[in-house]
């Protein structure tokens, strides 16, 4: 026998009826094998009641799950052991009324939203195509729909005559109407406030000094079409710091994650996310690494290895993915990860790592040493010598504070450096007049950008 169990193989010294749960989990996932009479080390120890088990196990499995599996008797060196070969079933299988699914090396009981999603997939349906009866077409954001049309016209992946149709006809041809109702995909793509219908339908971004020290954070909301552009701008203007170098008179800015890789990784998270989970996409940024995490699962029969190979396109939300494809945001042939890798090679950056967890998928980008900025939150990396001789001590204090958290308000800055709000306003005006800083966005939700 092999010297190590695999995710789809279980070794058991003796049979226990509780193992029926594991058989159910195999049947609902990629299939697998149970071996009875083999210990945890893979050593054959044999079973004494092999003939009885050979007769009783098929009946037990059939009676508890309604499925048929192959139960085979093997013999080695006078020791008998039993193999239970469980195929993968295309329909949902329950064990005594409960549903289980094999994830990694564990059998998980499916309940609630997770069970609903699982049954939909087994029926060949998808969550993003489920109709939502409480929303009308006039409730959608016409600006978001118009933006899609403009992007689609430029990309030319859809006939222009379709884009000229009225909104209802267009949405129907985009497969965003089901039985006369807008689908979940339509609401996520084009509603002004998707969170009104789906908890957690936003992106959370945070800057961490250590795993335990969150320095500042933001939440990016709105339709999915708004979220992708907003979060990219936010990350590169507020969270990511470029390493500055010069080639003669030409200024060169290098980030440890390229914009192309960032965009593809975030788009992958958006189109593969299980929105029914109620958990937002999370982007955690450090001075030398960045994580993007979303609640999701690999397609059936995929492993982590599949991601690193050429593979097809199997988005968890195919209708959302289709609209993003028509708008030119993504490719339809599963090239998202390949494009991330290509961009890393082109920019001489390390390849990202994927972590496939039972409930989520995470990608990690690491900074090469040449792009690690040690004084990550210090203004000295942002203000050139030509500027520092034009600012006084209080102005430098303000710059340092907004460098640490670009989201700080006037009152926050006042509290941090111990001067009045009026004085802060005066200093801010001087810094603006000098062209050192600018305000991105409005006073309530915007942030400060220190010009390089």
């Amino acid at each position: 026998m092999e010297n190590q169990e695999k995710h789809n193989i279980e070794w058991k010294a003796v049979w226990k009826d509780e193992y029926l749960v594991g058989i159910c989990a195999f049947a609902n996932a990629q299939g697998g094998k149970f071996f009875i009479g083999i210990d945890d080390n893979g050593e054959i120890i044999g079973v004494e009641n092999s003939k009885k088990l050979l007769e009783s196990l098929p009946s037990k499995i059939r009676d508890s799950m309604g499925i048929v599996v192959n139960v085979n008797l093997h013999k080695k060196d006078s020791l008998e052991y039993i193999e239970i070969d469980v195929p993968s079933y295309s329909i949902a299988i329950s064990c005594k009324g409960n549903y289980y699914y094999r994830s990694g090396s564990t059998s998980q009981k499916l309940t609630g939203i997770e069970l609903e999603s699982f049954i939909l997939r087994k029926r060949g349906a998808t969550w993003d195509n489920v109709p939502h009866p409480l929303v009308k077409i006039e409730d959608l954001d016409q600006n978001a729909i118009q933006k899609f049309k403009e992007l689609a016209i430029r990309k030319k992946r859809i006939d222009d005559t379709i884009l000229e149709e009225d909104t209802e006809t267009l949405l129907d041809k985009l497969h965003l109407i089901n039985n006369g109702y807008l689908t979940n995909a339509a609401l996520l793509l084009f509603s002004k406030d998707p969170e009104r219908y789906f908890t957690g339908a936003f992106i959370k971004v945070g800057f961490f000094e250590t795993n335990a020290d969150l320095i500042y954070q933001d939440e990016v909301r709105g339709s999915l079409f708004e979220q992708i552009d907003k979060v990219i701008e936010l990350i590169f203007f507020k969270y990511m710091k470029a390493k500055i170098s010069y080639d003669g008179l030409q200024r060169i800015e290098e980030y440890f994650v390229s914009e192309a890789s960032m965009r593809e990784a975030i788009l992958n998270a958006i189109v593969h996310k299980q929105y029914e989970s109620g958990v937002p996409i999370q982007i955690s940024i450090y001075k030398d690494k960045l994580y993007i995490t979303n609640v999701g699962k690999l397609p059936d029969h995929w492993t982590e290895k599949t991601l690193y190979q050429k593979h097809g396109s199997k988005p968890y939300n195919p209708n959302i993915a289709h609209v993003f494809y028509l708008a030119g945001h993504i490719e339809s042939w599963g090239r998202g990860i390949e494009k991330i890798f290509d961009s890393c090679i082109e920019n001489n950056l390390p390849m990202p790592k994927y972590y496939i967890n039972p409930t989520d998928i995470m990608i990690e980008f690491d900074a090469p040493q040449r792009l690690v900025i040690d004084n990550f939150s210090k203004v000295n990396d942002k203000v050139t010598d030509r500027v520092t001789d034009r600012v006084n001590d209080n102005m430098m204090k303000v710059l340092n504070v907004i460098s640490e958290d670009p989201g700080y308000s006037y009152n926050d800055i006042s509290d941090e450096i111990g001067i009045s709000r009026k004085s802060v306003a005066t200093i801010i005006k001087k810094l603006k007049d000098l062209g050192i800083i600018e305000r991105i966005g409005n006073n309530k939700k915007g942030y400060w950008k220190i010009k390089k």
Side-chain angles (χ1 to χ4, degrees):
M1 297 297 296
E2 298 181 47
N3 60 6
Q4 191 175 21
E5 284 182 292
K6 296 182 179 179
H7 289 169
N8 61 343
I9 292 177
E10 289 271 4
W11 296 329
K12 302 298 179 184
V14 297
W15 169 259
K16 297 180 182 179
D17 284 353
E18 64 191 56
Y19 299 152
L20 290 168
V21 165
I23 292 173
C24 177
F26 276 147
N28 283 324
Q30 301 175 28
K33 294 182 178 183
F34 268 79
F35 289 95
I36 311 301
I38 300 177
D39 66 17
D40 292 341
N41 297 317
E43 296 293 330
I44 298 173
I45 60 175
V47 287
E48 296 179 356
N49 55 344
S50 58
K51 291 183 179 179
K52 183 179 179 181
L53 286 174
L54 201 62
E55 295 175 357
S56 64
L57 284 176
S59 298
K60 284 188 176 184
I61 295 168
R62 183 191 61 237
D63 293 345
S64 60
M65 286 172 258
I67 63 174
V68 176
V69 302
N70 291 320
V71 181
N72 305 308
L73 180 64
H74 297 284
K75 188 173 183 179
K76 184 177 181 180
D77 299 332
S78 75
L79 294 174
E80 294 182 331
Y81 63 97
I82 287 178
E83 173 197 41
I84 306 173
D85 189 359
V86 186
S88 174
Y89 274 77
S90 59
I91 60 173
I93 303 300
S94 68
C95 179
K96 300 179 180 178
N98 294 313
Y99 292 83
Y100 301 88
Y101 190 85
R102 184 77 168 185
S103 179
S105 58
T106 62
S107 298
Q108 297 182 347
K109 184 177 180 180
L110 301 177
T111 59
I113 292 173
E114 191 67 31
L115 176 58
E116 178 186 353
S117 174
F118 166 75
I119 292 176
L120 278 173
R121 293 199 308 273
K122 287 294 186 179
R123 290 176 177 171
T126 60
W127 177 87
D128 69 341
N129 195 44
V130 172
H132 203 295
L134 300 179
V135 187
K136 299 178 180 179
I137 289 177
E138 49 266 33
D139 295 327
L140 298 181
D141 184 356
Q142 292 302 315
N143 290 330
I145 295 174
Q146 182 59 34
K147 181 176 182 178
F148 162 74
K149 289 181 178 180
E150 292 170 359
L151 291 170
I153 287 172
R154 289 203 294 269
K155 204 63 182 178
K156 297 189 180 301
R157 290 176 172 174
I158 184 173
D159 195 303
D160 289 352
T161 59
I162 296 177
L163 297 173
E164 295 169 359
E165 300 276 9
D166 62 86
T167 300
E168 183 174 0
T169 303
L170 172 63
L171 294 177
D172 186 46
K173 291 185 176 180
L174 292 175
H175 311 298
L176 299 179
I177 293 179
N178 187 350
N179 289 327
Y181 296 108
L182 292 171
T183 63
N184 290 338
L187 301 187
L188 285 165
L189 288 163
F190 297 126
S191 66
K192 295 179 181 179
D193 182 17
E195 284 183 84
R196 181 179 177 185
Y197 316 104
F198 314 111
T199 303
F202 63 96
I203 302 175
K204 181 179 288 188
V205 186
F207 181 76
F208 293 80
E209 197 165 88
T210 68
N211 289 342
D213 296 324
L214 173 64
I215 307 303
Y216 50 88
Q217 64 177 334
D218 287 280
E219 294 177 351
V220 178
R221 303 176 185 274
S223 70
L224 296 189
F225 267 100
E226 292 179 289
Q227 287 184 26
I228 181 61
D229 290 330
K230 283 182 180 178
V231 75
I232 292 292
E233 180 183 7
L234 178 69
I235 289 171
F236 281 99
F237 277 120
K238 179 176 177 179
Y239 284 83
M240 296 281 287
K241 305 298 184 289
K243 196 79 170 183
I244 308 301
S245 62
Y246 290 87
D247 183 2
L249 296 176
Q250 183 180 4
R251 178 189 178 90
I252 300 172
E253 298 182 359
E254 283 188 277
Y255 294 92
F256 71 82
V257 183
S258 70
E259 183 172 347
S261 290
M262 183 80 74
R263 178 174 289 274
E264 288 297 329
I266 294 173
L267 282 166
N268 276 348
I270 287 174
V271 301
H272 291 287
K273 176 185 169 181
Q274 291 181 302
Y275 287 91
E276 61 269 38
S277 69
V279 179
I281 294 170
Q282 299 179 41
I283 303 176
S284 305
I285 303 171
Y286 300 72
K287 71 174 185 179
D288 57 354
K289 56 188 174 182
L290 180 146
Y291 298 98
I292 300 174
T293 308
N294 73 298
V295 175
K297 293 182 179 296
L298 292 179
D300 289 343
H301 309 299
W302 282 33
T303 66
E304 184 177 341
K305 185 178 179 181
T306 310
L307 296 177
Y308 295 93
Q309 301 172 336
K310 186 173 181 61
H311 56 266
S313 178
K314 292 186 178 181
Y316 183 79
N317 300 294
N319 294 308
I320 291 174
H322 180 62
V323 173
F324 272 124
Y325 166 73
L326 295 176
H329 281 320
I330 64 173
E331 300 295 335
S332 66
W333 303 109
R335 290 196 64 245
I337 294 176
E338 186 178 338
K339 290 174 72 175
I340 292 173
F341 292 165
D342 287 347
S343 181
C344 289
I345 293 171
E346 180 182 346
N347 291 278
N348 192 25
L349 296 170
M351 289 295 178
K353 306 182 191 78
Y354 279 91
Y355 300 92
I356 312 302
N357 303 310
T359 58
D360 61 60
I361 297 174
M362 180 170 68
I363 183 173
E364 175 187 353
F365 293 93
D366 293 308
Q369 191 57 45
R370 75 177 194 280
L371 296 182
V372 175
I373 301 175
D374 291 328
N375 296 323
F376 197 76
S377 62
K378 297 301 181 183
V379 74
N380 295 339
D381 287 328
K382 301 178 180 180
V383 184
T384 68
D385 292 337
R386 296 189 303 276
V387 172
T388 53
D389 61 359
R390 295 151 61 193
V391 301
N392 58 34
D393 288 344
N394 278 340
M395 293 166 75
M396 187 60 74
K397 288 179 181 178
V398 170
L399 286 171
N400 275 313
V401 166
I402 63 177
S403 173
E404 292 170 1
D405 188 343
Y408 270 164
S409 66
Y410 282 47
N411 288 335
D412 294 329
I413 298 170
S414 173
D415 292 340
E416 285 291 320
I417 64 178
I419 63 176
S420 69
R421 188 187 184 285
K422 183 177 180 180
S423 297
V424 169
T426 301
I427 293 170
I428 291 289
K429 184 178 184 305
K430 288 181 180 178
L431 291 171
K432 285 182 176 179
D433 292 342
L434 288 169
I436 298 173
I437 65 172
E438 65 175 315
R439 184 72 177 176
I440 305 296
N442 58 37
N443 290 333
K444 185 176 180 181
K445 295 185 178 180
Y447 55 90
W448 300 106
K449 177 187 176 185
I450 298 177
K451 296 183 179 179
K452 300 178 177 70

